[in-house]
Amino acid sequence: MNVTQHQVNIGIIGLGGIGTSKHLPSLAKVPQARVIAFCDLEEDKAALAAKQFGADGAKVYSDYRKLLEESAIDVVHVCTPNSSHAEITVAALEAGKHVMCEKPMAITSADAKRMLEAAKRTGKKLTIGYQNRYRQDSLYLKQLCEMGELGDIYYGKALAIRRRAVPTWGVFLEKDLQGGGPLIDIGTHALDLTLWMMDNYKPVSVTGSVFHKLGGTRNAANLWGSWDPDKFTVEDAAVGFIKMENGATITLEASWALNTLDVREAKTVLCGTKAGADMDDSLRLNGERLGRLYDHKIRFDSAPVVFYGAQKDETPADMEARLWIECILNDTEPFVKPEQALVVSEILEAIYESAATGQTIYLNA
């Protein structure tokens, strides 16, 4: 394989916005990465992306199965609607490819488990696209958590709140293809951040509510123009209450449309025995020292964070792509482990199930 020659050949499946605006531009900045195959149901999209980002002789497909037959491909990036993540990822792993799959891991925890099992069975690497971990504030806060600066983190808030920012393109409003709305779309990022900071992946119970209150509004104010209420089949907001095995508790709030001025997306609030932290205004820390309360803000407008090998002027998406390719070349664990992403999917699924049944859902019983 070309991996042994310090070159990684990549095939990308799904050339919508996430593939062409995040994955391909960032991979183009990694010298060891060559994108040699492009696949989309609309073959002209694949051809256009290949022309802009492809290596010499890059191939174009409309059937992902044909792409997976290409023996020169080492890595596959899955950037398709959520409903097909598991099917394509498992097939790619079984075809001998490492896989970067966009978030969320899958619509159901059963599908996410199939993906993890396939990675273990084949010995291939699998990671999920939670790029908010690579932000400067996230990396800095994670380092503080690992150093024990916050102490025992027993309460966290995962926040993904938009006032009016409903995505009106693609299949975002189609429940069958996406599995849900803001909870599974942006709530997944906030939950991943919070679990990762707390280093706590043992949920025991989940209670949740989802709301379909504003999606039926016609001619609604919206960042990307009014949505079609007849096609709005997912929730417009959701909340969850998660209890962990060690007694820690997490609340999760997610919305695309909500009457609130408290707008915070892909943020976490952490409360520990020694200190607390939030991402409301840059990164803020709070606590008590020598009988006095303190709070201070960490600035990120000068030198870059050096933790985890971050480089100057590197965007979160760029760092995600670089570290992923490096983990392939160096045969190390991916920065986002599939076992972690599976827990995120289990909790999201439990929130939807709790909302549907009106019951608390118990996990790992």
Side-chain angles (χ1 to χ4, degrees), residues 35-231:
V35 187
I36 66 169
F38 297 75
C39 179
D40 195 276
L41 291 173
E42 298 179 36
E43 195 167 317
D44 58 335
K45 286 186 178 180
L48 184 62
K51 183 177 180 181
Q52 184 175 1
F53 295 103
D56 290 342
K59 297 180 180 179
V60 172
Y61 302 87
S62 60
D63 185 342
Y64 78 86
R65 298 171 188 84
K66 295 294 183 183
L67 179 147
L68 295 181
E69 292 175 0
E70 177 54 64
S71 61
I73 295 173
D74 306 308
V75 172
V76 166
H77 282 227
V78 178
C79 305
T80 59
N82 300 342
S83 60
S84 60
H85 283 184
E87 174 190 325
I88 297 174
T89 295
V90 171
L93 291 166
E94 292 181 341
K97 323 297 185 188
H98 304 290
V99 176
M100 155 71 80
C101 179
E102 251 308 317
K103 61 78 193 170
M105 191 170 183
I107 285 179
T108 68
S109 61
D111 276 347
K113 287 175 184 175
R114 287 201 302 120
M115 295 163 69
L116 177 59
E117 290 166 357
K120 290 180 176 179
R121 182 172 65 251
T122 60
K124 294 299 174 180
K125 300 183 190 301
L126 170 62
T127 194
I128 308 300
Y130 284 117
Q131 75 272 4
N132 284 286
R133 288 195 190 188
Y134 305 87
R135 298 190 329 237
Q136 290 192 55
D137 58 344
S138 301
L139 294 170
Y140 193 95
L141 180 55
K142 177 60 174 176
Q143 187 80 352
L144 292 178
C145 293
E146 290 182 339
M147 293 167 58
E149 292 294 308
L150 274 62
D152 174 26
I153 304 171
Y154 56 90
Y155 179 46
K157 293 194 241 182
L159 303 169
I161 306 169
R162 297 177 183 173
R163 183 183 181 186
R164 289 293 190 283
V166 177
T168 55
W169 63 91
V171 298
F172 279 103
L173 302 182
E174 299 180 38
K175 186 175 182 180
D176 289 346
L177 293 176
Q178 288 296 95
L183 179 61
I184 201 169
D185 177 44
I186 56 176
T188 190
H189 278 300
L191 180 57
D192 173 69
L193 272 182
T194 304
L195 294 172
W196 183 55
M197 295 296 178
M198 297 174 72
D199 191 25
N200 192 338
Y201 290 93
K202 295 182 177 180
V204 293
S205 69
V206 177
T207 307
S209 298
V210 302
F211 302 103
H212 303 262
K213 299 294 186 179
L214 305 181
T217 305
R218 296 192 179 276
N219 302 314
N222 188 52
L223 180 62
W224 295 294
S226 298
W227 59 81
D228 183 347
D230 296 328
K231 296 180 180 178

